[in-house]
Amino acid sequence: MTTYKMLNLREVIEALRNLPEGSEVEGLDGDLHSDRGFYERSATAPAPGRRQLAFDLAMKLEEQIGKPIVGWKGGDFTVSEDLPIHVGEYGDTGPSILGFEVDQAGVWRPLLLAESYYW
């Protein structure tokens, strides 16, 4: 049986760093903004077809911890490493990241949870 859990930002960064050296990740922009559904949580835009080295994406995400983001309808929030991270365009809600899975070509993509009841 496989069990998954929503990953917080720190866990996503660690998962990226634990991928094999030279691994490419497709599907995440990496620029953080406030999630529309939970303003205090960070989100990154989906980026279909865009590939980045896992190490570079981890560094990009880590550099944003502690930086300010603005909630969709206002309010200032700080990028927290302890809260779940979502995938969605600015102003949209989106799924949360559960981990990464590799395809037959060796490219890693985020494993996502479409809906969650985590509060």
Side-chain angles (χ1 to χ4, degrees):
M1 177 185 315
T2 302
T3 303
Y4 297 98
K5 73 176 197 90
M6 290 173 37
L7 300 182
N8 64 36
L9 180 56
R10 173 57 55 200
E11 292 166 330
V12 167
I13 292 168
E14 289 172 7
L16 289 166
R17 288 196 172 132
N18 287 328
L19 294 180
E21 186 176 340
S23 293
E24 290 185 314
V25 176
E26 182 178 314
L28 298 176
D29 175 89
D31 292 321
L32 297 178
H33 56 268
S34 178
D35 179 66
R36 170 118 188 219
F38 302 91
Y39 296 173
E40 71 281 4
R41 297 185 193 175
S42 299
T44 185
R50 179 177 178 191
R51 293 183 184 177
Q52 301 179 65
L53 289 175
F55 179 83
D56 293 345
L57 182 56
M59 291 294 294
K60 185 176 188 178
L61 292 171
E62 187 169 54
E63 289 171 353
Q64 296 172 81
I65 294 172
K67 302 277 171 100
I69 52 177
V70 177
W72 174 248
K73 291 186 179 179
D76 295 324
F77 300 91
T78 301
V79 173
S80 171
E81 65 183 345
D82 299 323
L83 293 175
I85 180 171
H86 297 264
V87 178
E89 296 286 351
Y90 183 74
D92 290 339
T93 59
S96 55
I97 299 176
L98 302 176
F100 296 90
E101 58 186 355
V102 67
D103 66 14
Q104 293 178 349
V107 177
W108 294 84
R109 291 184 176 79
L111 179 63
L112 304 173
L113 174 64
E115 295 183 31
S116 136
Y117 299 100
Y118 175 87
W119 302 100

